[in-house]
Amino acid sequence: AKSPGISIMKHVDKITYLKAEITPDCAHRCQLPLDKINFWPGRGGVSIGVPNIDGSVSVLIMGDLPGVFSSPVFSSETDVIRFLQERNPELIPAIADMSQLVDRRRGHFLTTETSDWRLGNRAVLLGDAGRCAPPWAGLGANSALSDCQVLEESLSKHDNLEDALAHYNDDRIVASSIIQELVSKHGKLLNVSLGSRAWRTQQLFLEIRERITQSRTMYQQIAFDKGGLNRLIEARLQDRRISKRA
């Protein structure tokens, strides 16, 4: 059995953010939907609003923010309003209290992954214990459920515990590398190019390519194809087996 011991890799995302809160009254007045995530694309980034159970909306203003990292982003409410007028003017009536964004330093998202998903035959890692993705990725609960499914399948298919845990470990290492790649690419899309002319041109090209070749991007396979992530994992595991035999 493999000796217990793991190492954690941390990736500090270049994407910066500020957090604001939209009160229930303002959310109602601005007719913000509370049954889905709100997106406000703009030049240099995107803002995302996540509804809360009390009717408020938590907003992440992400992407290019003025100033340097070590200093507050905005020094006055006037600076906040001027920024939002250029980036996301629809947020000005929604965020009633602009002071919450004054003298606040920007944050960075952190992504983590682990070298191994097992501790010998003693324990395995599941969910956030083995990986952590930014909240905008929408992968936290989904990935944790996938971990549970793969562990159950590994234990069911193998009579030997060592084989079952080895299969689970290999599968989750590959899955995490795919998720890390997806988060990186999707983060750049959300915070740099979403809604731009270049992005619209690229989307048109991808739609034409999909119709002609019946091929999809990695994101499309994971997001829209049933079992898409599992097929990507199996393909990469197969490539690893071939490389080891070569």
Side-chain angles (χ1 to χ4, degrees), residues 88-106:
N88 300 123
E90 55 271 74
L91 283 178
I92 294 177
I95 303 176
D97 181 14
M98 293 294 176
S99 65
Q100 62 183 301
L101 293 169
V102 177
D103 292 331
R104 296 286 300 277
R105 293 187 178 184
R106 74 204 71 210

Side-chain angles (χ1 to χ4, degrees), residues 53-95:
I53 193 169
D54 65 353
S56 63
V57 177
S58 296
V59 178
L60 292 177
I61 302 172
M62 305 188 300
D64 294 334
L65 298 173
V68 296
F69 179 73
S70 59
S71 301
V73 178
F74 304 112
S75 59
S76 68
E77 294 185 31
T78 301
D79 291 338
V80 177
I81 294 173
R82 185 181 299 116
F83 173 82
L84 291 177
Q85 284 174 336
E86 295 181 2
R87 164 76 87 79
N88 300 123
E90 55 271 74
L91 283 178
I92 294 177
I95 303 176

